[in-house]
Amino acid sequence: MESITGWQVISLCGIALWIVISSIFNVTQKLRSLTQPWVCKRVITDTPIIMKIQKYQHRHLDAFFSGLSCVVSVPFYTAFLPLLFWTGHCKLARQMTLLIAFCDYTGNCIKDVVSAPRPKSPPVRRVTATKDEEDNAMEYGLPSSHTLNTVCLSGYLLHYVLAYTESNDVFIKVVGLTIACLFVGLVGLGRIYLGMHSLIDIIGGLALGLGILAIWLAVSEYIDNFVVSGQNVVSFWAALSFLLLFAYPTPEFPTPSFEYHTAFNGVALGIVTGIHQTFHQFHHENVARVFSPQLAFPAFVGRLLLGIPTILLVKFCSKALAKWILPILANTLGIPIRSTSYMPTLIGMPADKKSDKIKQSGYLQKLFFFSNQTSFDALILA
């Protein structure tokens, strides 16, 4: 059995210590009291800007920006990330999966720490063309997850393409960067046009995305080498995933953000486990890639036709099975559970509005017997 290395012990103990310290000293509440009033003021100040942009509303623009928002949505990742694996570009696939998981966790943490509302509707016109957008509207605003994820997705994709093609052509680099910037700009503009975010949310998502992308480009090779051939990878990542659940901050009012990052956390754990155990069989650098003689385009299309339905079937069946098994298991163990109920009044809620009736215990406290938590969320468990 592989022994855990020193940096792994330090990392896990550091996160555990942070969980205890932040719970004892109410770090989340203190940070929120410092940031929320200023952000809420900016949201109100930005409302006239949103109204001016929405003066150009048109059904074609509604459709265009709604479709563009789907590019970094959950259904998009369900198809896009497996697609990267099926193309044979396994390094890109695993790096992109872990990067987006990191973005999702970091962005949602900041959302729930600050707990600043989205633009108030009305007077702002909010367009939620899909069920996914309706769920997104139940989250807090800062930072814009769409902007954050688009920056990291397009930035890392551009980096990979330039490195893979070994292109030193300045013109190609400029064109690629221009396309990436245009894509990010349209997504950010679309989030404002659709009434989903204020300008401060977009700026926050852009700044955070650039910061995360810069860090990821600096450490991605180390992370990839660890996932592929490191020591104690599966055990360490499982422990890390578990601790991150409890390190997540408690929002002012319940939102779906915790569930979103939990799902992606599970995806990242599964990807890391699978790649570490089967790298030399399926994920090595000499694996067949699309458009090569070893993987012709018809064969690639066959992977899509077989893979996408399989993923959807496994996704829906596993979720239904979990919702059926977990309540039975919880009842058997005597663990009370409930169904999540998010507050519709969350959107556009004034910063100074506090509720004594609605409280959410820290996620750390849910683990221990001294908790005041009276029930557990069935959807989070599933």
Side-chain angles (χ1 to χ4, degrees):
M1 182 178 178
E2 296 177 336
S3 59
I4 189 167
T5 61
W7 72 267
Q8 293 173 346
V9 173
I10 293 174
S11 300
L12 296 178
C13 290
I15 296 174
L17 181 62
W18 164 253
I19 294 172
V20 174
I21 291 175
S22 61
S23 297
I24 294 175
F25 294 101
N26 295 321
V27 174
T28 298
Q29 288 80 0
K30 288 181 172 60
L31 290 175
R32 183 176 299 139
S33 65
L34 293 174
T35 57
Q36 189 188 65
W38 183 84
V39 176
C40 290
K41 183 179 179 180
R42 292 300 312 171
V43 171
I44 297 174
T45 304
D46 291 343
T47 299
I49 299 176
I50 303 174
M51 302 292 289
K52 288 181 180 179
I53 293 175
Q54 290 189 336
K55 286 182 179 179
Y56 300 96
Q57 69 180 69
H58 191 277
R59 58 189 179 88
H60 293 315
L61 288 176
D62 290 355
F64 174 73
F65 284 123
S66 295
L68 201 60
S69 295
C70 293
V71 173
V72 284
S73 64
V74 173
F76 169 77
Y77 291 130
T78 302
F80 177 70
L81 295 177
L83 177 68
L84 295 179
F85 282 101
W86 297 331
T87 62
H89 292 274
C90 300
K91 183 176 182 178
L92 172 63
R94 59 181 178 263
Q95 283 287 310
M96 190 69 77
T97 301
L98 297 180
L99 173 58
I100 297 302
F102 182 51
C103 289
D104 191 68
Y105 185 85
T106 306
N108 284 349
C109 277
I110 296 177
K111 278 180 186 286
D112 285 350
V113 166
V114 180
S115 294
R118 294 175 183 267
K120 189 174 182 180
S121 175
V124 170
R125 185 182 71 111
R126 177 162 296 132
V127 181
T128 53
T130 64
K131 178 63 170 62
D132 187 62
E133 279 288 77
E134 293 177 1
D135 293 340
N136 289 337
M138 299 170 71
E139 295 183 283
Y140 289 109
L142 179 77
S144 166
S145 297
H146 279 71
T147 306
L148 163 62
N149 292 344
T150 303
V151 168
C152 291
L153 185 147
S154 57
Y156 189 80
L157 187 60
L158 175 62
H159 165 77
Y160 180 85
V161 170
L162 293 176
Y164 179 73
T165 58
E166 298 180 346
S167 175
N168 292 320
D169 192 325
V170 176
F171 177 75
I172 294 178
K173 292 182 179 179
V174 171
V175 170
L177 182 61
T178 301
I179 294 174
C181 291
L182 179 62
F183 181 44
V184 172
L186 285 175
V187 169
L189 177 62
R191 302 309 288 167
I192 297 177
Y193 173 85
L194 296 173
M196 295 294 289
H197 284 288
S198 300
L199 182 60
I200 186 63
D201 302 337
I202 304 300
I203 295 174
L206 179 62
L208 182 61
L210 291 173
I212 290 178
L213 180 61
I215 294 172
W216 192 264
L217 292 177
V219 303
S220 59
E221 288 299 324
Y222 298 101
I223 295 175
D224 195 63
N225 291 335
F226 170 70
V227 171
V228 169
S229 57
Q231 291 184 343
N232 211 49
V233 174
V234 176
S235 300
F236 170 77
W237 210 280
L240 176 65
S241 301
F242 180 77
L243 286 175
L244 288 179
L245 294 177
F246 297 98
Y248 191 86
T250 303
E252 187 174 23
F253 296 94
T255 73
S257 297
F258 179 73
E259 295 177 24
Y260 291 164
H261 102 76
T262 302
F264 227 129
N265 203 8
V267 171
L269 175 60
I271 292 295
V272 169
T273 303
I275 288 174
H276 181 70
Q277 295 180 344
T278 64
F279 175 76
H280 296 291
Q281 290 79 21
F282 305 110
H283 302 284
H284 54 85
E285 291 304 310
N286 295 323
V287 70
R289 290 175 176 170
V290 66
F291 301 124
S292 68
Q294 294 78 21
L295 182 57
F297 186 71
F300 172 67
V301 173
R303 290 185 176 186
L304 295 181
L305 295 178
L306 179 63
I308 294 296
T310 301
I311 289 176
L312 295 177
L313 181 63
V314 171
K315 176 184 176 182
F316 291 118
C317 290
S318 60
K319 188 171 184 178
L321 187 63
K323 287 185 177 181
W324 176 62
I325 291 179
L326 288 175
I328 297 176
L329 180 63
N331 289 333
T332 302
L333 298 176
I335 303 174
I337 60 174
R338 57 181 168 78
S339 296
T340 299
S341 178
Y342 303 118
M343 293 191 61
T345 55
L346 173 66
I347 305 169
M349 184 181 300
D352 57 350
K353 183 175 180 180
K354 307 295 180 182
S355 174
D356 295 328
K357 296 181 179 180
I358 302 176
K359 298 291 181 183
Q360 186 179 33
S361 299
Y363 295 121
L364 174 67
Q365 293 179 335
K366 294 180 181 179
L367 185 64
F368 300 105
F369 292 105
F370 57 75
S371 168
N372 293 324
Q373 185 79 4
T374 58
S375 62
F376 292 82
D377 196 322
L379 292 183
I380 290 178
L381 292 173

